[in-house]
Amino acid sequence: MKLLSYILLLCILIASRGERLFDPDVVYGEEAPITDKEFSGMNAVEEAEEGTKEIRIRKDEFDEIVGQLQGMKALLESMKQDYDTRFKAMQEKISVLEKENTELKITPLEPAGAIHESPLDKTIAAVNSETLKVSVANEEEKPIAFLTDTDSSQPSSATSVSQNSETIEPMVSPTDSTVVGANVRSPLQLPTNTTATDQSENPGQWSPAQPLTVWSMGKNYMNISFDGLFTAGGSTAQDLEKLETGGHDPNQRGFTVQNLETVFEGAIDPYFKGQANIIFQIDKDGESFLEVEEAYLTSMSLPLNLQAKAGTFFTEFGRLNQFHPHAWDFADQPLVNGRFLSPDGLRNPGARLSWLAPTSNYTELFIAVQDSQGETVRSFRNEDALFGREAVDTRVRNMGDMLYVPRIATSFDLTDEQTILLGASAAFGPNSTGTDENTLIYGLDMFWKWKSKYAAGGFPFITWQTEVMGRRFEAGADINAELPDEVMNNWGTYSQVMWGFKKRWVAGFRGDYVDGEKYAEDPLSYERWRLSPNLTFYPSEFSKIRLQYNYDDILENDSTEHSVFLQFEFLLGSHGAHKF
């Protein structure tokens, strides 16, 4: 605008001087012709002097115009120099912003572990707000394609979240993860529709860290990712299925396709986000099957720090149950989880409501109501009744026949380098051994982490995770099996330590114990314990290779088994963050 104003001013000055400067009767360097009227009152000397004076005046006026033009030329050159300086500064600013956002968006997914996410709603909202502001500002200056990165942050207090959110690390600890409270959006989930725009503007600048984004009208988006998990194993046990309690555990000598998972996730509208996990597996007989492991929506705008979830999902019981197999720290799940919850984890259709307490440290309350029947709720209304009983058909008669799961979790910093998460859970509902028989499962869990303040890319670190579960099972009378009406009490535990001793290298050790079930007929229900050391290497954020050894001691029949597993995983696309 300033440049146009100066050009317009120049035109006006030229126009105002044009009459005299371009008068046809005036020729620079010569006398102007004198009319008869002027000539009549002058002698020859006066005429010469008058002509010279007239020429001098007109020359001065011309020189004045030339000076003005030269001044305007200098002004234009100054304006051009200023414009070039500003444009260069703007380009440098754009370059810095692009570099910062590149460091912010290439998501280093924590291999097979959980990625740190902040537990505080206000902090995350502020991060997302600032990200949107930067995006809008850049759109006004110049279209830029951004790649954002993720952060592994301690999840216990507002202070720790704020400090860690300022430190971006190129490689995230494989055991890091994040507490996601009610109405909290992960910092990993920075507005993904920005990514969709970036891809359309720079279609040739895609990287494996970017999500596969499907764009639709408005601000809707969907990220798609795929994870492949495989194991090659050998064991002294002829049938690994008699040792492994998990549905995704290695189940045979040779190769096992543990999990092929496709994830669809994204924003539905300003009020809900959705996620679906579709699982493909191949059993030991080569039979393939497909199942919907999770499909649910989560609210994003409820008041009073409330959050609702509805659909089919993993129950928030204990610590490990909420994680998918690729996020486990070992090749198989602990014995107690498979025995008390289910081989595929405790999950069913239902709804969950959570409340994030307005405290300085993370504290969240959960209550879930789900169906109590099916193979994914082994200790409840399962077709394969426990403790030698036959299953009784118990249909849903009222709300008392549902499965109820309350949980409380809290996290805080012990020191600047140490964080701890404590949780308590319960699950109660009817079981299939009678019309009025119930089951109660209760548990405590703890997760502690040390991470050096001088850590690079999340390493070094040490984590310690422990869960203890108890089960009270009311077994109904079975006349055919001549079994009385009685109450069974069992318990089990596991404890594991992970040591990230060098970047990309993590060593782990886990110990398991479960006591025996009465009337048990196979090792899956015997009293037993297990020791499992392992070593994991992460070539990148999108792959891992794990070597694990299992020593199983089955006390009930006084036998021991040895197993070795080589597990490998690859990830395509962007996988969402996991809870701390």
Side-chain angles (χ1 to χ4, degrees):
M1 289 297 297
K2 289 185 178 180
L3 181 62
L4 292 176
S5 300
Y6 283 118
I7 294 175
L8 181 60
L9 178 60
L10 175 62
C11 294
I12 293 174
L13 288 174
I14 293 174
S16 64
R17 298 287 184 172
E19 295 184 58
R20 299 183 61 114
L21 181 64
F22 299 104
D23 191 335
D25 294 333
V26 179
V27 179
Y28 181 72
E30 298 181 2
E31 287 188 11
I34 301 175
T35 62
D36 293 338
K37 182 178 179 180
E38 293 174 333
F39 183 80
S40 62
M42 300 180 185
N43 56 36
V45 175
E46 291 175 340
E47 291 173 0
E49 290 176 352
E50 187 68 25
T52 304
K53 181 179 180 181
E54 182 71 20
I55 291 172
R56 188 181 302 111
I57 292 173
R58 294 180 181 240
K59 181 178 182 301
D60 291 341
E61 291 176 348
F62 185 87
D63 291 339
E64 180 182 357
I65 292 174
V66 171
Q68 291 177 352
L69 291 174
Q70 291 176 344
M72 294 182 66
K73 177 182 177 183
L75 179 62
L76 290 173
E77 290 177 348
S78 176
M79 289 173 58
K80 181 178 181 300
Q81 184 177 3
D82 181 69
Y83 176 83
D84 291 339
T85 302
R86 290 174 179 269
F87 183 76
K88 183 178 180 180
M90 185 177 69
Q91 285 184 322
E92 293 175 352
K93 180 179 178 182
I94 290 172
S95 177
V96 171
L97 289 173
E98 186 175 84
K99 182 179 179 180
E100 292 177 352
N101 283 276
T102 299
E103 294 175 348
L104 269 173
K105 200 166 189 178
I106 301 177
T107 305
L109 292 178
E110 295 186 338
I115 300 175
H116 259 341
E117 248 186 300
S118 167
L120 298 175
D121 188 19
K122 292 183 180 180
T123 304
I124 302 309
V127 172
N128 288 332
S129 175
E130 290 301 318
T131 304
L132 287 173
K133 289 179 182 178
V134 171
S135 177
V136 172
N138 289 332
E139 287 179 0
E140 293 177 352
E141 292 182 356
K142 187 176 181 180
I144 307 172
F146 292 112
L147 300 177
T148 63
D149 209 83
T150 60
D151 178 18
S152 82
S153 53
Q154 300 287 349
S156 62
S157 66
T159 303
S160 65
V161 171
S162 176
Q163 292 174 348
N164 289 316
S165 63
E166 296 174 0
T167 305
I168 307 300
E169 298 174 338
M171 176 74 177
V172 183
S173 162
T175 58
D176 281 351
S177 50
T178 303
V179 179
V180 180
N183 298 325
V184 174
R185 296 192 66 186
S186 160
L188 298 179
Q189 298 170 353
L190 298 175
T192 314
N193 53 340
T194 304
T195 306
T197 304
D198 300 339
Q199 291 177 343
S200 64
E201 294 174 351
N202 297 275
Q205 297 184 3
W206 182 86
S207 83
Q210 292 178 251
L212 303 176
T213 304
V214 179
W215 181 84
S216 62
M217 296 298 293
K219 296 183 178 180
N220 296 336
Y221 67 92
M222 181 169 65
N223 292 336
I224 303 176
S225 66
F226 176 82
D227 185 273
L229 191 64
F230 308 86
T231 298
S235 177
T236 57
Q238 294 184 358
D239 191 352
L240 269 177
E241 285 190 323
K242 296 297 183 181
L243 289 180
E244 300 293 338
T245 62
H248 294 280
D249 295 347
N251 56 27
Q252 62 182 345
R253 295 171 177 174
F255 291 92
T256 299
V257 180
Q258 288 186 265
N259 205 45
L260 302 177
E261 177 186 57
T262 302
V263 181
F264 305 87
E265 63 89 17
I268 300 172
D269 52 36
Y271 310 103
F272 299 100
K273 60 182 178 180
Q275 179 171 321
N277 297 69
I278 311 301
I279 304 299
F280 182 83
Q281 280 186 273
I282 303 175
D283 63 20
K284 67 175 185 177
D285 298 321
E287 295 293 330
S288 302
F289 61 93
L290 191 70
E291 69 173 332
V292 179
E293 193 167 61
E294 289 192 285
Y296 60 87
L297 59 81
T298 307
S299 66
M300 296 190 294
S301 59
L302 290 184
L304 304 176
N305 286 344
L306 294 173
Q307 185 190 64
K309 178 191 285 188
T312 181
F313 52 88
F314 279 108
T315 310
E316 277 141 338
F317 182 99
R319 172 164 178 78
L320 188 66
N321 187 67
Q322 308 164 46
F323 292 94
H324 293 264
H326 70 271
W328 296 347
D329 293 322
F330 289 80
D332 48 7
Q333 70 175 356
L335 299 174
V336 66
N337 285 65
R339 180 177 293 186
F340 284 9
L341 304 181
S342 84
D344 286 324
L346 185 63
R347 59 183 173 89
N348 247 357
R352 183 269 285 161
L353 185 68
S354 66
W355 175 65
L356 183 65
T359 57
S360 58
N361 61 294
Y362 167 76
T363 301
E364 190 168 10
L365 300 175
F366 303 85
I367 179 66
V369 181
Q370 295 174 282
D371 289 342
S372 61
Q373 76 276 8
E375 60 182 9
T376 56
V377 282
R378 180 178 186 269
S379 297
F380 299 93
R381 294 166 59 207
N382 184 14
E383 291 183 0
D384 298 327
L386 302 180
F387 301 102
R389 270 75 173 171
E390 291 290 334
V392 177
D393 185 14
T394 55
R395 300 180 183 276
V396 176
R397 297 161 297 178
N398 50 52
M399 290 299 294
D401 290 333
M402 305 299 288
L403 174 64
Y404 295 89
V405 186
R407 172 171 169 78
I408 182 172
T410 185
S411 175
F412 52 89
D413 286 337
L414 298 175
T415 67
D416 291 340
E417 299 179 348
Q418 300 180 62
T419 301
I420 191 169
L421 173 70
L422 302 174
S425 308
F428 52 91
N431 64 55
S432 57
T433 64
T435 56
D436 296 308
E437 309 298 337
N438 297 299
T439 298
L440 169 64
I441 302 176
Y442 47 93
L444 299 174
D445 57 273
M446 181 274 294
F447 177 78
W448 169 86
K449 179 171 184 178
W450 170 84
K451 179 179 175 182
S452 172
K453 57 179 147 184
Y454 304 109
F459 293 81
F461 68 87
I462 298 175
T463 64
W464 176 28
Q465 177 175 315
T466 297
E467 287 192 65
V468 180
M469 298 184 199
R471 180 178 63 185
R472 183 182 185 276
F473 191 94
E474 297 177 358
D478 190 328
I479 299 176
N480 295 329
E482 298 181 352
L483 297 175
D485 189 345
E486 55 187 325
V487 176
M488 309 292 185
N489 287 285
N490 308 94
W491 75 282
T493 184
Y494 76 89
S495 186
Q496 67 182 47
V497 176
M498 307 302 296
W499 176 30
F501 60 93
K502 185 179 180 181
K503 189 172 182 179
R504 298 184 179 181
W505 290 92
V506 180
F509 185 84
R510 185 183 70 196
D512 292 75
Y513 172 80
V514 286
D515 71 348
E517 294 181 352
K518 196 173 181 180
Y519 310 112
E521 298 179 355
D522 61 72
L524 291 177
S525 301
Y526 289 163
E527 180 184 9
R528 53 187 295 196
W529 58 274
R530 169 186 288 172
L531 297 177
S532 304
N534 74 7
L535 179 66
T536 307
F537 173 64
Y538 298 92
S540 71
E541 296 88 348
F542 310 101
S543 61
K544 77 179 178 194
I545 302 172
R546 172 175 291 152
L547 180 64
Q548 178 173 320
Y549 165 72
N550 281 0
Y551 173 82
D552 283 282
D553 191 339
I554 304 173
L555 302 176
E556 198 103 6
N557 60 9
D558 194 26
S559 64
T560 59
E561 302 290 355
H562 306 268
S563 305
V564 178
F565 305 119
L566 180 63
Q567 184 183 60
F568 50 97
E569 175 196 7
F570 68 89
L571 173 67
L572 298 174
S574 175
H575 198 84
H578 302 95
K579 294 189 176 183
F580 178 81

